Amino acid sequence: MPGTTYTQHALTLPSYPRGSHLITSDITSQLSTPLKDVKVGLLHLFLQHTSCAMSLNENWDSDVRKDMSDSLDKIVVEDKAGKGIYRHDAEGSDDMPAHIKSSLIGASVSIPITDGRLALGTWQGIWFLEFRDGKHRRKVMATIQGEKA
């Protein structure tokens, strides 16, 4: 008898350099077992950090990811010259711009699950956007809710 289930999974992303990265396969490989048992449901991914972001966007042309990173850097400038643009600068010139970009893009995405697979659009992929210069190990809390297959 089918019923609604909820499970949570703590995931760790590989260290990525600053930029926009396609992580769909990282997520699906870590969640393949719990996803396969869901007939219809929802995957909610929550990034547990304030200087990076998650988004759904173009999964085919890597230039889109480069253009996104370049555009965000133009919208939210870094104070490399130390002119005092931001009050919060104790963690480096890239930190406050990273917080702003994180707020603009967001820390979570929700994706439908259909017959054990993510129901992404043809050209959609899960993006991870790292806004800091140093490589970090980022944690994601994945919540799967749905009707069992």
Side-chain angles (χ1 to χ4, degrees), residues 99-121:
H99 293 310
I100 295 168
K101 293 172 190 175
S102 178
S103 290
L104 291 172
I105 303 299
S108 64
V109 295
S110 293
I111 305 159
I113 303 167
T114 305
D115 295 326
R117 299 181 58 141
L118 298 183
L120 292 164

Side-chain angles (χ1 to χ4, degrees), residues 9-14 24-35:
H9 309 271
L11 311 179
T12 301
L13 296 176
T24 309
S25 62
D26 292 327
I27 298 298
T28 56
S29 67
Q30 292 186 62
L31 295 175
S32 62
T33 300
L35 284 173

Side-chain angles (χ1 to χ4, degrees), residues 125-136:
I126 304 167
W127 282 24
F128 168 69
L129 297 92
E130 177 59 72
F131 301 129
R132 298 296 309 272
D133 287 327
K135 290 185 178 182
H136 299 83

